[in-house]
Amino acid sequence: MTRLRETLLWALPGRGLRVLAALAALAGVVAVLAGGASWPHLDGPTDRWAALTTAPGPVARLAAATWAAGAAGALVLLQVVTGAAVMARLGLEPATPADGVVERRVVALAVGAWAWSLGLLVFAALGALGPGAVVALAAVSLGAAARWGSPPAPDPAPEGEASRWRWVPSIALLLWALPLLPQALLPNWDWDAALHHLPMAQRLLEGRAWEVDLDCAAFAAPFGAHLTYAALMAIGAGGGVAAYNLSLTFGTLLATVSIGRAIGGPRAGRWTGAVLVTVNIVWELGLDARVDAGLTFAVTAGALALVRWTQDRCPGRLATAGAALGLALAYKASAPLMVVVLGGCWAALVLVDRARGAALPGARPLALGLVLLAAPALFPYGRNLLATGDPLYPHLRKARYVDREGNLRPLAPDQAALVATRPVRDEDLADTRYAWANAEPGAAGQAPRSLLTPAIFSSPRRFSRKPLHEVGVFFPLALLLPLLAPSRSGLWLLAAGGLMFVAVGAQTTLLRYALPAFPLLAAAAGVALGGVRRRVPLVLVGLALSGHAGLQSWLEWRKLRELDPGGWFAGRVDEASWASQVGYNGVRAWLPTAFELNRRAAAGELGPAPKLFLVAEGKGDRLLVPYAPDQSWHGATWLTLLTRQGGDVAAAVAELEARGFTHIVVNHGYMAHNVGYAPSLRERVRLSLHTLSELERREARSAAEHEQERVVVIELSRERERLR
């Protein structure tokens, strides 16, 4: 137990453990005072609907928030402890570490998150992911710390920092981040989290880790992050998912600062942190239940390990990098490209050193690094390979579907043939509700083709789907690094970050896909600024950075006010009312629709066993009725169904009924909003509309109309009788 206590104190030094224990006790007391109201037992749709439409009061609401924040913090602590134990057991630290106090804990967090991801994956593959699995893994973590996790060598003293000023950057960062903290404990209002990520975590809790949904490719993505979300949801702390991601974002900041310190010293580290603070999209994505925050942390931690390897050639660094980048592979399907870029830059450096007479890395540490790299991602990629022949389904071999004979076929050519044989005339969509489908694509069709344009600075809203997703204007200072602070490690970092941004940015127009490149470029910019010795330019840059950060903080305060945190945390508003007002990414229509469907289901108005087939809609986060999602905007699931049935609408309806569906929910507004952005899909959208309009002629119930969304609900049993 002494070794366990020492490891916990190493992971959370000073008064950290006392503060954490006090928070845990506070959560328990508040929960008792709340009479357990913050964790209701929800046994069915009626009970869950009652929970969504009940304002519990301030005590229960604050108890739930405290529990969620405490669970997220405890998970981070357990992962740091686990990482320290794994590193001690495998001997991954150098004999005389040059790492800073913070850096070593950041690396331990990355290794611990890797180990937890692997452990949760085992339970998910067995269909046993639940509260018991979380408790078991926590016990294993503490047991490993007690057995192996003695603290590594003493932390080196801070390098040349005056102790009386040591806390100034931390206090400034805390004041700047104050508007972010309550946002992380509000209910989810992010579009993609509701569409992909939270439903994916729910699927894992339901024991569906082996399933590959051909129609919804997002459910075939790697699910390393979703395992963690499912773990929090399993213990009633689903509200802590964003808090956990925000913790990882702070971990990204610390890892980035550590990269700057490792290359250019404490001065470069401080400038690195200042630059990254101004890259607002990094912080914004830390407030969502997406996977980008974790992916960015993992890639940055891997880059930190490789930077350290360029300096001390410690074999354990390769294993640490393998674990961090293996975690990245388990987070997102775009991670292999980033891992290839980092690995390619490292291999190039090895070859250059070899040409100069240096020895190659040993086979054993290299093999260990590769094993750690592959372990967390083997299951999701292997599952996809077995089911579809494409480990990154559908990115390598494109989407597939099962035809009427049960054969797996490429979807695109068969769907194109269907569209060609069933052209839709303008008069077929003469109804004024479909006027947008007859219009030619306008300015929206001229959207940017990639991120490799200066417009990402001048017009960031063209490259994102949420406000405040901006990159700032300071990380391009990285380009000055070869002139101001050339060094072997610095040039390697600049090459890795630049190539990563170019490789990803050439293929997408969404800034968040290139997110892991920004910390590396911010570190390169910090190293470049650390090489400047003239006071005047540094003062000007410092003022510009401070002004930009202050503006961002003010905008975050303004956004927080719009989210009504007072009403939420005071328990004056129920979740259904709050979410209907806030919407997803500011679009409110789907939530009133979902809540109307929930109400009708709870009242028995949708029949005894309702099941919804969604078209151009898939945000099932708060939809309590069983459903099959469509994660496209152009009605991909309906078109796949039509393709399988040769365009026969009656046969498509019969198949849906045979599969237990009772209603089709069509989001026309979402199609209308997006059709201009992808003119190549226009004819598919028109075919979807035309065939669905055949089912709507008796005017199905319109559930909501607002901005992007106009949703129509079609009852299948009545349509079957009419089609006959």
Side-chain angles (χ1 to χ4, degrees):
M1 295 303 292
T2 301
R3 185 174 290 181
L4 173 60
R5 181 176 178 275
E6 291 175 345
T7 305
L8 288 171
L9 289 173
W10 177 85
L12 201 63
R15 296 188 178 91
L17 280 178
R18 298 177 188 175
V19 172
L20 187 63
L23 285 175
L26 175 63
V29 170
V30 174
V32 171
L33 291 176
S38 55
W39 298 287
H41 298 286
L42 307 178
D43 297 323
T46 302
D47 291 341
R48 287 180 287 165
W49 176 234
L52 279 175
T53 54
T54 301
V59 176
R61 187 60 59 73
L62 289 174
T66 306
W67 171 246
L75 180 58
V76 171
L77 175 62
L78 282 170
Q79 289 176 342
V80 173
V81 167
T82 305
V86 171
M87 293 171 70
R89 180 68 179 90
L90 298 180
L92 301 186
E93 288 217 320
T96 55
D99 314 33
V101 176
V102 171
E103 177 180 341
R104 296 166 66 210
R105 290 168 178 82
V106 168
V107 173
L109 174 58
V111 175
W114 172 90
W116 266 76
S117 179
L118 200 59
L120 291 170
L121 176 60
V122 171
F123 283 103
L126 296 174
L129 186 57
V134 179
V135 172
L137 282 177
V140 169
S141 295
L142 295 176
R147 185 173 180 83
W148 304 324
S150 56
D155 289 312
E159 302 173 30
E161 295 186 25
S163 59
R164 60 179 176 175
W165 301 110
R166 186 173 54 184
W167 297 107
V168 171
S170 299
I171 294 173
L173 179 64
L174 177 62
L175 292 174
W176 172 84
L178 276 178
L180 303 178
L181 304 180
Q183 289 185 55
L185 292 173
L186 288 171
N188 174 58
W189 63 284
D190 177 68
W191 187 294
D192 278 11
L195 186 66
H196 308 308
H197 304 301
L198 295 176
M200 182 64 189
Q202 185 60 44
R203 287 165 69 99
L204 294 173
L205 288 175
E206 294 169 0
R208 301 166 63 186
W210 287 93
E211 290 187 17
V212 176
D213 193 331
L214 297 178
D215 292 339
C216 296
F219 289 153
F223 47 76
H226 309 97
L227 289 167
T228 305
Y229 304 166
L232 289 170
M233 292 163 64
I235 59 174
V241 168
Y244 175 79
N245 280 340
L246 185 60
S247 300
L248 293 186
T249 301
F250 280 105
T252 299
L253 173 66
L254 298 176
T256 309
V257 169
S258 298
I259 292 175
R261 288 175 61 94
I263 296 174
R267 177 188 175 97
R270 288 190 291 270
W271 281 113
T272 292
V275 172
L276 187 63
V277 161
T278 65
V279 185
N280 205 44
I281 189 172
V282 172
W283 301 94
E284 278 285 303
L285 286 168
L287 299 173
D288 296 333
R290 303 195 196 191
V291 301
D292 303 277
L295 172 67
T296 303
F297 169 72
V299 171
T300 308
L304 171 60
L306 292 177
V307 165
R308 281 298 187 185
W309 182 89
T310 66
Q311 298 173 336
D312 59 21
R313 292 290 183 130
C314 172
R317 305 284 192 194
L318 296 181
T320 303
L325 296 178
L327 181 66
L329 288 177
Y331 264 49
K332 198 168 185 176
S334 60
L337 178 60
M338 302 169 191
V339 172
V340 166
V341 169
L342 279 178
C345 290
W346 172 80
L349 188 62
V350 169
L351 293 176
V352 169
D353 288 350
R354 176 62 175 166
R356 295 175 178 175
L360 292 172
R364 186 172 180 179
L366 193 58
L368 178 60
L370 291 175
V371 168
L372 298 180
L373 176 72
L378 276 179
F379 179 88
Y381 293 155
R383 176 202 62 181
N384 292 349
L385 182 64
L386 291 174
T388 69
D390 181 356
L392 297 177
Y393 181 81
H395 301 291
L396 298 182
R397 300 185 63 185
K398 306 303 181 184
R400 294 172 173 266
Y401 79 109
V402 178
D403 65 15
R404 278 184 287 189
E405 286 73 37
N407 300 315
L408 193 65
R409 293 176 54 85
L411 176 62
D414 290 358
Q415 201 168 85
L418 175 66
V419 172
T421 57
R422 294 200 56 175
V424 179
R425 301 166 299 174
D426 287 356
E427 51 266 33
D428 293 331
L429 297 173
D431 191 312
T432 55
R433 293 177 299 173
Y434 312 128
W436 54 268
N438 292 332
E440 292 297 325
Q446 306 303 316
R449 296 178 180 273
S450 77
L451 295 177
L452 307 182
T453 168
I456 63 172
F457 304 107
S458 59
S459 305
R461 287 292 285 122
R462 297 175 64 195
F463 303 89
S464 67
R465 293 174 181 167
K466 289 182 76 173
L468 304 185
H469 278 203
E470 301 175 0
V471 295
V473 295
F474 298 100
F475 77 82
L477 292 172
L479 297 175
L480 299 178
L481 185 147
L483 299 176
L484 300 176
S487 68
R488 182 168 172 271
S489 299
L491 294 174
W492 180 88
L493 175 70
L494 176 61
L499 287 174
M500 188 181 297
F501 178 74
V502 171
V504 177
Q507 303 178 58
T508 182
T509 60
L510 289 178
L511 278 169
R512 58 186 169 87
Y513 288 164
L515 194 70
F518 296 138
L520 307 187
L521 293 173
V527 172
L529 290 171
V532 177
R533 292 294 179 260
R534 294 183 178 274
R535 182 169 297 179
V536 173
L538 288 180
V539 169
L540 293 176
V541 172
L543 289 174
L545 286 167
S546 300
H548 195 283
L551 175 61
Q552 286 178 202
S553 187
W554 177 76
L555 291 173
E556 291 292 346
W557 278 113
R558 189 172 71 172
K559 185 182 80 171
L560 177 62
R561 185 177 60 184
E562 294 171 354
L563 295 175
D564 188 23
W568 174 258
F569 290 115
R572 297 192 304 265
V573 59
D574 61 82
E575 184 172 350
S577 301
W578 183 89
S580 296
Q581 179 61 32
V582 172
Y584 289 126
N585 291 12
V587 180
R588 302 180 179 90
W590 171 247
L591 279 166
T593 301
F595 293 145
E596 170 66 9
L597 291 167
N598 292 340
R599 185 199 65 76
R600 292 172 62 187
E605 297 177 16
L606 295 181
K611 186 177 180 182
L612 310 179
F613 184 80
L614 306 187
V615 179
E617 182 54 68
K619 297 185 288 293
D621 180 24
R622 295 181 175 95
L623 183 59
L624 306 181
V625 186
Y627 72 99
D630 179 0
Q631 294 172 336
S632 76
W633 59 263
H634 61 276
T637 54
W638 174 252
L639 279 175
T640 301
L641 187 61
L642 280 180
T643 303
R644 180 160 47 245
Q645 298 299 338
D648 187 336
V649 175
V653 169
E655 180 184 334
L656 287 177
E657 285 200 292
R659 290 163 57 187
F661 291 100
T662 59
H663 297 77
I664 300 177
V665 182
V666 189
N667 192 335
H668 291 296
Y670 191 29
M671 292 184 188
H673 177 76
N674 283 280
V675 69
Y677 291 93
S680 61
L681 295 176
R682 183 167 174 263
E683 291 307 316
R684 299 185 189 184
V685 173
R686 286 162 60 83
L687 179 59
S688 291
L689 286 173
H690 178 49
T691 51
L692 288 167
S693 67
E694 296 178 18
L695 301 180
E696 296 175 18
R697 290 215 177 103
R698 270 191 340 99
E699 188 47 40
R701 180 167 184 169
S702 179
E705 294 191 27
H706 183 276
E707 293 179 5
Q708 291 184 19
E709 302 191 355
R710 187 180 70 79
V711 184
V712 172
V713 181
I714 302 167
E715 188 173 343
L716 285 175
S717 59
R718 296 182 181 180
E719 295 306 324
R720 181 193 68 234
E721 295 300 323
R722 186 182 66 81
L723 289 170
R724 284 180 178 174

